[in-house]
Amino acid sequence: MVVKPKSHGQLKIVYLEAKSAGKSILPCGLGHNLNLSTDHDRFVAISSRGLNQIESIEPDNLLAEVGAGLTLSELEKALAPTGLYWPITGPYERTLGGLMGQGLLGAETMAKGTMVDWILGTTMMNPAGEIVKSGGRTLKNVSGYDLTRLAWRARGSLVMNLSFILKLLPKPKICPVMEFSIKSLKLAASHMETIIKEGFGVQNLRLIGDDKGLRICLWLTGFVEYVSAQEEKLKSLLKDPSDLFEDGFEYFNHVDAIFNLPNEKIKIFAGSRKNLLETVRNLSWIGDHHFVVDLGSGRLALISSPKSSEDLAFESGLVLISGQVFQTSGPLFRRLKTAIDPKGLFATL
Amino acid sequence: MSSPAGHGNFSPQSLKALSDIVGPAFCRSQPIDLELYSYDSSPFIHYPSVVVIPGQVEEMAEVVSLCRRHGWPLTCRGAGTSLSGGAVAHRGGVLMSTTRMNRLLEIDLLEETALVESGLVNLDLQKALAPFGYMFPPDPASQKASTLGGNIAENAGGIKGVKYGITKHHVLGLELILDDGSLVKTGALKKGFEFIAPDLTGIFLASEGTLALVARALLKITPLPKSYKTLSVVFDSLLKSGQAVSAIIAQGIIPTALEIMDRRLIAALEDYLRLGFPVGAEAMLLIELDGLGPELDPQLAKIKDICFRSGAVSLEEAETAEDREKLWLARRSGNGALGRIKPSTIVQDVTVPIVHLSKMLSLVQEVADRHQIIIVQMAHAGDGNLHPHLLFDPSDGQEYLRCLKASAEIFAAALKVGGTITGEHGIGLEKVTFMTDEFTKVELDFMAAIKSGLDPTGIFNPDKVLPQKWQAYRKAKGS
Ligand SMILES: Cc1cc2nc3c(=O)[nH]c(=O)nc-3n(C[C@H](O)[C@H](O)[C@H](O)COP(=O)(O)OP(=O)(O)OC[C@H]3O[C@@H](n4cnc5c(N)ncnc54)[C@H](O)[C@@H]3O)c2cc1C
C-alpha cells in the first residue's frame, strides 16, 4: 500500500495506523526505486509527494525552503525567474526526499560535491511521529549533532524528511559541455588523468562509448571569460572538440538517463578514479559495448555486457552496485538504528 | 572556571595499564602535566587525572576500550584551540592528546584526496599540498596549530568559507574508534561499498568527540586558485559595512572571503603589526576573489561599485602577493592583538541569515554599551558568522559576569532572527545550557538517543554538547 499524506497531521495519523496494525513504514518519493512486489504486506509505503510545497524562495539569503515531495524539475521551474539555481542536477522527475535517501551526487559533483552539501536544514519526522528540525537558514551551524545528514543514503531507514532548506547559487552565465572523439580506450584514460591532474576544475568528466563512437566529455561552468580560457587550454591538449553543447544541464540529464535504466538492462559498478581508469585501460572488450564512465561520481554504467557481473567485478576490482541488497548490517548502522528506531518502525529493505 | 576534579585520582594499577599501552614516556600524571592539559583556548579550566599521547591507531583503540571497561571519562584533544571548552576534561579521567598521530599518510592527485591521521596540523597539510598545486579549503584562523581531527570534530569553518564551504564539505570518509575500541570506516573509505550502505560520516562532523574518536580521515583536496584579487574597504560605520556584505551576496557574487573588522580591532592590529591600517576608521571589509584571472575583473568592478553605493569611504586593492599576505596575517592575528586591550576574551560565534547581518552587528554594539564592557567585532561576514570578542580582566569577577550576561543576550538575539548560537566554534561546555533555547525537548531527546546508542556509558567527552539532563554519563568509577 502507498499512501500520500498532504500535511504533517495526516502523516502522523498514517504513522499511528501503521503502528497499531503492526506494520513498518517505508518512506518514499515517487517510488522509482521501490520494488513493492515482494513482502508488501509487511509495510506501508508513505510517499512524501503530497508534501511538495514551496514555502519560500529568498534570493537575498540565497536559499529556498521546500517540501521533500517536490521534484527536481518543479524546483528548477520555481527558481528560474530568480536567476538562482540549486547546483544538483539529476533525474528530473524524482522527489528531493527520494533523492536524499538514494544519495544523489549530482552531475556537477566534481566541483560542487553532493546533494547533501547543498542542504542547510531539514524538518523530519522521527519514528515516534514527532517533528525534529536540524540546521536552518544560516550558512554555518554546528549547534548540536548534524541531523541533516542522517537521511543521506539511508533509504528511509532512519527518519522521514518532510522539508528542506536549500542553499542556492547564482545560475552560471554559461555552462557548455565539450566532447572530444578519442581513438582508443588507452588514450582516453591517459587524457582523463591529465585533465584531472592539470587542475582544469571541470564540473564533471566522462567517457562515453556508444553508436557515435568513443568520446571524452567534460563540463565547464562559470563566467564567459573563465570558460573561454579553459576551452582554449583543453583544445590545445585534446585538439578540436567534435561537438560543443551549450547547455550542460540538458546534456547531462540526457546522458544520465543511462544510470536510471532498469537493473536488467544495465550493470553499474563503483570504484575509485584509479580503478575506473585501469578498467578502461585494461578491459579492452568494454569498448564493444555501450558504456559511460563517470569520474565525478566514481561509477561505470555498462549496457548489455556479455560477462557476468561477478566476473567483471573480479577483473576490474570495482564493486557491483546495481541490483544489490542495501547493506544495513554494519555495526555503526545497527547501533544508530537501534538507538533512533528501537521498535524498527522504519523498514530496512 | 576551575575545578581540579580528576586531579591525581588514578591508582598506580590504572596508570600502569595505560602506560603499558602507550609507553611510559607518553602516559603522564605529574601535576605539571595535568596543569598543562587543564585548559584550552576558552576560559574553562578542568584537570584530567592522566594524559596519554598514543602514537598509533591501535594504541588509541586500546585506550578507548580500557576506558570503557573501567568507566573512565575520556576527552580527546587535538591542539586545544577550542574556544568553547570542548577540549577540557570536565570530569577528569583520561585526556588523550592526538599530537603524535600527525602523519600525512597519502596524497593522491588522481583521486584528489589526502589520507591523514587526526592529529595532523591543518597548516602542515596545506604546506604539503601546495607544491602539488592543491589546498585543503577549510582554513580556520587557528590553522597554524589546530589539528584536522579537531577541525572535523568541530566542523571548523575558515576565512574561505563563503566560496569553499566548511570542513564537512571536504571530508569524504572517516576511520573511527567506537566506544568498545572497535574500528569502523565510513563513506569513501569503504571503497565503492558506500553506494550500497548508509553513509554515516555526517553525524560525526561537529560531534565534538562525544560520539567516537576520529583516527584517520580521507579529505577532498582542491586545486589552488590561479590568481587572487584582494580589497580592503574602509567604512565610516559598522552598519554600512554589513549592508555592503548583504548587498554583495544579494547580487549573486560569491567571493572567496568577506571579513569585517571594527574600529577597535583595526587600531589594535595597527598597534601590534604596524601595517599602515587606517586607525580611526569605524570598519574595514576585507574582500578576496580567486579563480582564473579573466573572470575576476568583472566581479571586482561590481563589488567596488556596491561598496561605494553602500557608503565606502576608501578602497584599496592589494597590488602584490606580499600586500595580500599582510592583510590576511592581520586578520589571523585578531585574537592575539586584542590581548593589548584586556588580558582575556570570550569569543562568541553566533551566525544569522545573511540579510540580518548588519542588524546583528548593531545589536551586539548595543549589548556592549548596556553592559559596559568592550566587545570587539570581527566576522566571517559572508557566512553571516559574527565573532564578537568580549574582553575582560580575569581579576575582575564582576566584569566576567557582565560578559556572560552579554553573551546570553547575543545568543537570544541571534535565535530571534532565525540564527544559531554557534556557527563554527561548537557548543562545548560554554553553550551547553543554551541548547534548550535552540532546540525542543523532542530534538534534544533525539540527539540523546544517538549519543546513548553510540556511547551508552557516556565515556566520550562527558558534559559537552548535550545539557546535563540529556547526558548518558554514569558516575565515573575512578579506580
Ligand atoms: C586564535 C584562534 C582562531 C580560531 N579561528 C577559528 C576559525 O577561523 N574557524 C573555526 O572554525 N574555529 C576557529 N577557532 C577554534 C578552533 O581552532 C577550532 O575549533 C579547531 O577546529 C579546534 O582544533 P584543535 O585541534 O585545537 O581541537 P581541540 O581544541 O583540541 O578540540 C576541539 C574538539 O574536538 C575534539 N577532538 C579533537 N580531536 C579529536 C579526534 N581525533 N576525535 C574526536 N574528537 C576530537 C575535542 O574533544 C574537542 O571537543 C579558533 C581558535 C583560536 C584560538
Side-chain angles (χ1 to χ4, degrees):
Chain A
M1 192 203 317
V2 181
V3 285
K4 217 184 284 177
K6 284 208 157 75
S7 66
H8 297 180
Q10 285 184 5
L11 179 60
K12 176 129 199 209
I13 294 169
V14 180
Y15 260 58
L16 295 175
E17 291 286 323
K19 264 188 193 171
S20 66
K23 295 194 179 198
S24 47
I25 282 172
L26 182 64
C28 63
L30 285 164
H32 282 104
N33 291 71
L34 290 185
N35 178 2
L36 296 180
S37 57
T38 54
D39 230 7
H40 60 276
D41 267 357
R42 199 165 53 86
F43 53 73
V44 181
I46 305 185
S47 166
S48 56
R49 181 62 184 135
L51 306 171
N52 61 349
Q53 74 285 6
I54 294 177
E55 300 281 355
S56 66
I57 296 176
E58 302 168 30
D60 289 354
N61 272 329
L62 293 181
L63 63 82
E65 183 169 6
V66 301
L70 200 73
T71 61
L72 272 181
S73 66
E74 288 166 343
L75 176 66
E76 191 184 278
K77 218 179 277 164
L79 292 177
T82 65
L84 300 173
Y85 89 123
W86 193 51
I88 295 299
T89 326
Y92 266 21
E93 301 311 326
R94 305 281 164 97
T95 65
L96 298 179
L99 292 169
M100 180 81 168
Q102 287 292 317
L104 175 69
L105 295 173
E108 287 185 78
T109 186
M110 278 176 100
K112 303 270 166 49
T114 66
M115 168 174 178
V116 78
D117 293 330
W118 296 88
I119 293 177
L120 297 173
T122 182
T123 303
M124 302 166 273
M125 200 168 263
N126 71 9
E130 298 158 329
I131 300 289
V132 173
K133 289 187 180 188
S134 180
R137 303 187 117 64
T138 54
L139 290 173
K140 287 171 170 174
N141 184 336
V142 293
S143 201
Y145 299 138
D146 184 355
L147 309 177
T148 50
R149 293 185 169 228
L150 259 191
W152 173 242
R153 216 174 256 163
R155 309 226 179 155
S157 57
L158 293 174
V159 288
M160 175 155 183
N161 288 113
L162 308 181
S163 65
F164 296 109
I165 300 175
L166 310 175
K167 178 177 168 185
L168 307 176
L169 277 184
K171 188 139 190 188
K173 296 284 180 265
I174 54 169
C175 48
V177 167
M178 300 168 87
E179 272 193 1
F180 296 89
S181 292
I182 285 291
K183 288 206 184 72
S184 73
L185 286 164
K186 281 202 164 57
L187 197 60
S190 106
H191 279 322
M192 288 170 89
E193 196 166 331
T194 309
I195 290 166
I196 290 176
K197 288 190 172 165
E198 290 286 312
F200 274 94
V202 292
Q203 310 296 303
N204 207 338
L205 179 58
R206 283 182 176 169
L207 180 66
I208 302 178
D210 60 15
D211 295 338
K212 287 204 279 171
L214 194 61
R215 323 32 120 228
I216 289 180
C217 111
L218 43 86
W219 190 8
L220 302 166
T221 68
F223 288 87
V224 181
E225 297 82 355
Y226 169 77
V227 171
S228 318
Q230 295 285 74
E231 277 175 8
E232 286 313 308
K233 272 172 69 186
L234 283 161
K235 282 181 197 165
S236 69
L237 178 75
L238 297 170
K239 307 293 171 261
D240 289 337
S242 53
D243 247 323
L244 199 142
F245 300 85
E246 280 192 359
D247 187 346
F249 296 102
E250 214 170 282
Y251 178 90
F252 268 87
N253 275 318
H254 175 67
V255 176
D256 269 357
I258 187 174
F259 285 102
N260 299 311
L261 287 173
N263 285 337
E264 51 288 2
K265 292 209 173 141
I266 190 167
K267 287 167 188 159
I268 302 179
F269 299 85
S272 64
R273 291 174 184 174
K274 186 170 169 211
N275 258 178
L276 288 164
L277 293 181
E278 288 290 300
T279 306
V280 169
R281 270 191 196 104
N282 299 332
L283 307 184
S284 55
W285 59 266
I286 280 186
D288 302 332
H289 300 274
H290 287 193
F291 71 91
V292 176
V293 173
D294 181 292
L295 280 199
S297 65
R299 289 177 305 167
L300 159 69
L302 192 59
I303 299 182
S304 61
S305 153
K307 298 219 177 192
S308 78
S309 305
E310 290 72 22
D311 286 350
L312 228 170
F314 179 73
E315 282 177 37
S316 62
L318 297 170
V319 177
L320 177 71
I321 57 171
S322 50
Q324 294 300 295
V325 177
F326 191 55
Q327 297 181 355
T328 53
S329 55
L332 196 52
F333 178 79
R334 268 190 284 113
R335 287 173 73 168
L336 260 182
K337 173 81 179 163
T338 315
I340 295 174
D341 183 16
K343 296 196 177 132
L345 183 69
F346 288 123
T348 40
L349 290 184
Chain B
M1 270 192 281
S2 169
S3 143
H7 195 152
N9 64 358
F10 263 40
S11 69
Q13 296 92 311
S14 304
L15 294 177
K16 178 165 186 313
L18 287 164
S19 142
D20 284 349
I21 298 171
V22 294
F26 301 109
C27 177
R28 300 178 183 167
S29 56
Q30 294 302 310
I32 182 71
D33 301 313
L34 305 183
E35 193 74 42
L36 273 177
Y37 288 92
S38 65
Y39 58 91
D40 56 14
S41 301
S42 72
F44 296 93
I45 298 175
H46 294 280
Y47 291 82
S49 313
V50 51
V51 177
V52 294
I53 315 173
Q56 302 293 336
V57 173
E58 294 70 25
E59 291 175 15
M60 283 177 85
E62 273 189 64
V63 171
V64 171
S65 101
L66 194 69
C67 289
R68 161 82 190 248
R69 274 204 305 280
H70 293 278
W72 297 333
L74 171 60
T75 303
C76 192
R77 175 186 165 107
T81 63
S82 168
L83 291 164
S84 55
V88 292
H90 191 233
R91 293 193 185 231
V94 178
L95 189 125
M96 182 192 287
S97 163
T98 60
T99 45
R100 289 175 67 222
M101 301 292 304
N102 62 351
R103 282 161 284 240
L104 169 52
L105 301 169
E106 188 184 31
I107 296 175
D108 189 327
L109 297 183
L110 178 58
E111 308 298 333
E112 299 184 293
T113 56
L115 182 64
V116 301
E117 287 185 345
S118 63
L120 182 67
V121 170
N122 180 303
L123 191 63
D124 290 344
L125 174 63
Q126 312 285 4
K127 281 185 187 156
L129 291 173
F132 298 105
Y134 276 86
M135 64 175 176
F136 177 60
D139 60 340
S142 58
Q143 68 175 172
K144 265 189 200 167
S146 68
T147 64
L148 292 158
N151 296 166
I152 290 166
E154 297 284 7
N155 190 13
I159 286 163
K160 297 200 200 88
V162 191
K163 177 168 174 181
Y164 291 100
I166 48 185
T167 301
K168 71 176 171 186
H169 300 127
H170 305 275
V171 176
L172 297 174
L174 294 173
E175 187 167 347
L176 297 158
I177 303 172
L178 301 185
D179 69 328
D180 56 3
S182 59
L183 286 167
V184 290
K185 289 182 179 172
T186 70
L189 280 172
K190 295 175 94 161
K191 298 199 181 299
F193 286 97
E194 74 272 19
F195 282 93
I196 45 173
D199 182 356
L200 299 169
T201 310
I203 195 73
F204 297 96
L205 273 292
S207 68
E208 303 190 23
T210 61
L211 299 179
L213 300 192
V214 178
R216 298 189 181 107
L218 185 68
L219 308 175
K220 184 161 85 180
I221 58 174
T222 302
L224 275 168
K226 302 284 183 275
S227 53
Y228 301 92
K229 296 276 180 192
T230 310
L231 286 180
S232 56
V233 191
V234 173
F235 288 85
D236 61 9
S237 90
L238 194 59
L239 186 75
K240 285 181 189 165
S241 68
Q243 284 165 343
V245 170
S246 301
I248 290 169
I249 300 288
Q251 280 292 305
I253 303 171
I254 311 288
T256 317
L258 264 174
E259 298 284 314
I260 283 181
M261 303 195 279
D262 78 354
R263 178 173 56 88
R264 279 206 175 87
L265 181 59
I266 298 168
L269 283 169
E270 182 53 24
D271 187 29
Y272 178 41
L273 296 170
R274 308 269 170 220
L275 295 173
F277 274 8
V279 178
E282 281 298 320
M284 194 155 104
L285 198 54
L286 293 185
I287 307 174
E288 184 155 284
L289 292 165
D290 73 22
L292 214 61
E295 68 179 321
L296 300 184
D297 290 330
Q299 293 180 69
L300 195 70
K302 262 195 189 170
I303 289 178
K304 286 180 181 172
D305 183 47
I306 293 171
C307 286
F308 281 124
R309 275 192 284 126
S310 307
V313 177
S314 66
L315 186 152
E316 208 172 316
E317 195 176 324
E319 298 286 340
T320 62
E322 210 184 12
D323 289 347
R324 172 178 171 262
E325 279 311 315
K326 270 190 202 161
L327 286 174
W328 290 120
L329 169 73
R331 170 59 188 85
R332 291 204 164 91
S333 307
N335 296 46
L338 294 179
R340 305 188 152 222
I341 304 178
K342 290 241 174 195
S344 285
T345 314
I346 299 175
V347 184
Q348 287 311 347
D349 177 39
V350 289
T351 305
V352 294
I354 201 80
V355 284
H356 296 300
L357 177 72
S358 42
K359 185 173 159 190
M360 197 65 204
L361 287 165
S362 307
L363 213 137
V364 169
Q365 195 46 55
E366 283 166 31
V367 171
D369 295 343
R370 200 164 40 250
H371 290 280
Q372 297 178 327
I373 53 170
I374 298 176
I375 301 185
V376 175
Q377 300 221 54
M378 55 181 113
H380 301 307
D383 293 331
N385 184 193
L386 291 88
H387 285 327
H389 283 51
L390 295 80
L391 308 191
F392 67 96
D393 183 341
S395 64
D396 182 349
Q398 287 305 314
E399 190 177 40
Y400 180 66
L401 283 178
R402 290 204 301 281
C403 285
L404 293 184
K405 278 194 186 141
S407 294
E409 282 182 25
I410 293 170
F411 295 155
L415 291 176
K416 204 166 161 193
V417 296
T420 172
I421 58 178
T422 174
E424 58 180 26
H425 293 169
I427 295 295
L429 283 176
E430 183 205 19
K431 302 179 198 83
V432 78
T433 52
F434 295 91
M435 285 290 279
T436 46
D437 296 342
E438 185 156 353
F439 295 99
T440 63
K441 178 182 172 299
V442 168
E443 287 157 357
L444 289 167
D445 285 347
F446 194 72
M447 289 186 214
I450 292 174
K451 167 79 176 167
S452 62
L454 294 180
D455 180 23
T457 57
I459 57 166
F460 286 135
N461 213 358
D463 301 333
K464 315 289 169 69
V465 182
L466 292 170
Q468 195 59 52
K469 201 172 139 193
W470 283 269
Q471 287 283 332
Y473 182 78
R474 281 188 324 194
K475 203 170 157 1
K477 288 181 208 132
S479 52

